[in-house]
Amino acid sequence: MPSARLTIDPRSTIGPIRRRLFGGFVEHLGRHVYDGIHEPGHPTADTEGFRQDVIELVRELGVSTIRYPGGNFVSGFRWEDSVGPREERPRRLDLAWHSTETNEVGLHEFSDWLEKVGSDMMLAVNLGTRGTLEALDLLEYANIAGGTALSQQRIANGRTDAFGVKMWCLGNEMDGPWQLGHRSADDYGKLASRTAKAMRQLDPSVELVVCGSSSAHMPTFGEWERVVLSHTYEDVDYISCHAYYEEKNGDLGSFLASAVDMDGFIETVVATADHVKAVLGSDKSVNISFDEWNVWYLSRFQNVDKIEGLDNWPVAPRLLEDVYSVADAVVFGNLMISLLKHSDRVTSASLAQLVNVIAPIMTEPGGPAWRQTTFFPFSITSRLAGGEALELKLDAPTYETKEYGVVPLVDAVATHDASTGRTAVFLVNRSVEEAVTLTVDVGSLGEVSVLETHTLADDDVYAKNTLAEPTRVAPRPNDTARIDGRELTATLPPVSWTAISLG
Ligand code: AHR
């Protein structure tokens, strides 16, 4: 059996674990909002039509800030359509997803739902088909207490207190040719800079995210970040990264190493941002908002699900409803490890998405809600990771992948919370065939014991949770984990994700 060795030292800190790393994303897309979080006729629906079974699962997931309302959707969105009396709200074409948007759920309803799930709102403004003025209008509507036309309109619409939204995205994926209003880095950078300055003139406390690349594999990657940041460096707090991974051509080995790509993506964007900082002689750092990340079988959407036709604009169609396997959840858990390993510069992140649409939570209209395999690494990491992320000394065997060359068989990160004395270790074994014997030197933590262990693995790495079998896959305690003196040992099954909490 191959073996891996880790050394944990609570003094080797990377950066603080901010709650915003455990953010989510709700887009008006498919059955996310309608028939997902909102289904007035559902047996668990509350008086506002929100499914309480979904609310409970979102709370259990442990999501901090939630990005809204898109995604690609936002680039055609008129925010004014989504407020005011429901019966007067227009039905609109959503060009991004070839659907009809009824606007039955809008800004106020979404904010009410956020209060129920205990999360904060992060808003995106439309810089695709709209501009600075509309962004200012939305900011005034959302954040000004009262006494102006738009803040009074919000009050008349039933919301006395300002929404007080802190995080704002300056558009979405403006580098992507599929984006409504897609433009060059130079054009977008100028627009984003003007809009950011104007928004700060209205509310200096907002935190602004400028669009980075929609993937590290875009032909403009790198240069896009450099040019956009050259225009906006002093105006923004974050640059976004988006990344989705899927198993391609049956190459499970490469798929399991997807986090290697995410590591490189983050490090390249940090280097580019720091390059611009040096050129400008700036004394502030722009950090990363990794505001879309997940496993997504994009090729299935492109080849099977895509909706077309001049007279075919369905309401809440089944779109992007990926059903996740154990292997998907292991990759997903590894992506979270990558985010934690870069917590010095990735200071905000949003899992894309939350319900039904490439989501950890699935629902059936009139029926149950259940946890996908990916639910578990998110909820457990969100609950156990705390304090500071730690730089680990990792000695692990390697394997060869088609996509990423030679990569470590094991990936890991640990967090340590000095206030509680708790340490959490998150690990993946990427081997398709073999278990790995893990030894961790925990001597520098003092006397500790194992508080909880969770391992997600299965003899069938493609096992999934479905409507018919909603609890087929779940993590189990790892009974092999034990501490002897200064050493923690555990066995990591093939294709597995593990969390160990010590205290
Ligand atoms: O999350 C699905 C889509 O992926 C988002 O709308 C878009 O921003 C990205 O391309």
Side-chain angles (χ1 to χ4, degrees):
M1 201 187 290
S3 58
R5 245 196 115 75
L6 289 181
T7 306
I8 298 182
D9 181 347
R11 290 162 304 183
S12 302
T13 56
I14 299 171
I17 309 295
R18 296 168 178 89
R19 284 305 304 161
R20 274 191 188 155
L21 266 191
F22 305 103
F25 173 30
V26 169
E27 177 164 9
H28 280 253
L29 194 182
R31 295 192 310 122
H32 198 161
V33 174
Y34 309 111
D35 278 1
I37 66 177
H38 192 253
E39 190 188 336
H42 191 271
T44 73
D46 62 17
T47 49
E48 291 167 273
F50 291 116
R51 285 183 62 149
Q52 294 182 74
D53 54 351
V54 173
I55 290 171
E56 275 163 35
L57 284 175
V58 174
R59 293 183 76 94
E60 182 185 326
L61 191 63
V63 205
S64 53
T65 310
I66 301 185
R67 182 167 173 253
Y68 179 81
N72 296 339
F73 171 79
V74 82
S75 293
F77 179 57
R78 298 171 230 207
W79 69 267
E80 305 88 329
D81 291 349
S82 81
V83 300
R86 265 191 176 148
E87 56 291 356
E88 289 169 22
R89 295 185 196 168
R91 289 165 72 91
R92 296 278 188 198
L93 296 179
D94 163 14
L95 302 188
W97 303 106
H98 208 95
S99 307
T100 297
E101 173 54 53
T102 63
N103 285 303
E104 211 180 313
V105 171
L107 194 57
H108 290 249
E109 293 78 20
F110 185 66
S111 162
D112 293 343
W113 182 78
L114 284 177
E115 269 168 38
K116 293 170 204 262
V117 299
S119 301
D120 295 329
M121 178 145 58
M122 170 175 178
L123 279 179
V125 299
N126 175 356
L127 290 189
T129 52
R130 309 189 98 186
T132 308
L133 185 60
E134 293 88 349
L136 283 176
D137 285 350
L138 176 55
L139 182 58
E140 177 186 330
Y141 187 91
N143 282 12
I144 292 292
T148 67
L150 290 168
S151 56
Q152 287 305 124
Q153 193 185 327
R154 183 198 68 240
I155 293 167
N157 287 337
R159 169 85 188 199
T160 315
D161 294 338
F163 291 110
V165 181
K166 282 278 159 264
M167 293 270 288
W168 293 79
C169 301
L170 299 163
N172 177 68
E173 293 190 348
M174 298 308 301
D175 64 321
W178 59 86
Q179 200 69 218
L180 272 173
H182 155 70
R183 50 200 87 192
S184 68
D186 199 46
D187 287 349
Y188 169 67
K190 288 177 185 159
L191 172 63
S193 168
R194 282 197 300 271
T195 305
K197 285 189 173 79
M199 288 177 77
R200 282 206 204 283
Q201 216 167 317
L202 193 158
D203 180 353
S205 75
V206 290
E207 294 177 47
L208 300 175
V209 186
V210 73
C211 291
S213 293
S214 44
S215 127
H217 304 283
M218 294 297 288
T220 47
F221 176 56
E223 185 60 0
W224 173 275
E225 280 74 4
R226 189 191 66 77
V227 174
V228 166
L229 282 176
S230 304
H231 288 295
T232 58
Y233 198 86
E234 298 298 343
D235 307 318
V236 301
D237 304 286
Y238 303 88
I239 181 156
S240 70
C241 289
H242 291 182
Y244 294 100
Y245 299 94
E246 64 183 303
E247 184 181 339
K248 291 185 184 143
N249 312 315
D251 182 3
L252 181 56
S254 295
F255 177 51
L256 288 165
S258 298
V260 170
D261 185 76
M262 194 189 227
D263 289 341
F265 187 2
I266 293 169
E267 285 152 25
T268 308
V269 173
V270 166
T272 310
D274 289 351
H275 164 78
V276 177
K277 174 181 179 172
V279 171
L280 298 178
S282 175
D283 54 11
K284 75 169 213 194
S285 290
V286 168
N287 287 325
I288 292 177
S289 166
F290 214 120
D291 49 40
E292 288 190 30
W293 67 269
N294 203 347
V295 172
W296 176 14
Y297 286 82
L298 178 61
S299 47
R300 202 193 73 186
F301 166 69
Q302 283 162 338
N303 303 328
V304 184
D305 279 351
K306 209 161 194 162
I307 304 167
E308 282 165 331
L310 192 57
D311 297 319
N312 182 28
W313 302 84
V315 174
R318 286 184 188 260
L319 274 180
L320 279 58
E321 299 205 2
D322 286 3
V323 181
Y324 292 118
S325 67
V326 170
D328 294 329
V330 171
V331 170
F332 180 103
N334 201 169
L335 299 179
M336 293 196 87
I337 290 174
S338 174
L339 295 173
L340 291 172
K341 281 201 305 197
H342 295 95
S343 65
D344 54 337
R345 297 303 293 271
V346 181
T347 51
S348 178
S350 312
L351 162 64
Q353 302 198 11
L354 270 189
V355 182
N356 289 332
V357 173
I358 46 173
I361 298 166
M362 295 300 288
T363 70
E364 196 52 28
W370 65 96
R371 299 167 188 82
Q372 292 236 50
T373 56
T374 53
F375 185 96
F376 303 107
F378 193 100
S379 61
I380 295 169
T381 309
S382 170
R383 185 169 60 79
L384 294 183
E388 300 270 341
L390 302 181
E391 183 102 56
L392 297 177
K393 274 198 209 116
L394 169 64
D395 183 10
T398 55
Y399 73 110
E400 175 89 35
T401 64
K402 280 200 200 109
E403 290 280 327
Y404 310 114
V406 176
V407 303
L409 206 58
V410 170
D411 196 14
V413 71
T415 67
H416 178 73
D417 188 341
S419 68
T420 60
R422 295 208 168 174
T423 303
V425 194
F426 305 95
L427 306 122
V428 286
N429 174 6
R430 295 169 172 156
S431 170
V432 176
E433 277 136 22
E434 292 183 287
V436 168
T437 309
L438 171 78
T439 307
V440 189
D441 181 342
V442 292
S444 57
L445 294 176
E447 216 172 286
V448 285
S449 56
V450 176
L451 299 179
E452 38 181 303
T453 58
H454 309 269
T455 288
L456 193 72
D458 202 283
D459 290 343
D460 175 6
V461 299
Y462 294 107
K464 301 173 168 96
N465 290 340
T466 58
L467 176 59
E469 264 192 302
T471 54
R472 163 68 182 80
V473 179
R476 293 196 199 93
N478 188 322
D479 298 326
T480 65
R482 50 185 47 90
I483 292 191
D484 189 4
R486 52 183 298 141
E487 281 191 347
L488 161 73
T489 52
T491 303
L492 308 177
V495 190
S496 64
W497 173 87
T498 294
I500 301 173
S501 162
L502 307 167

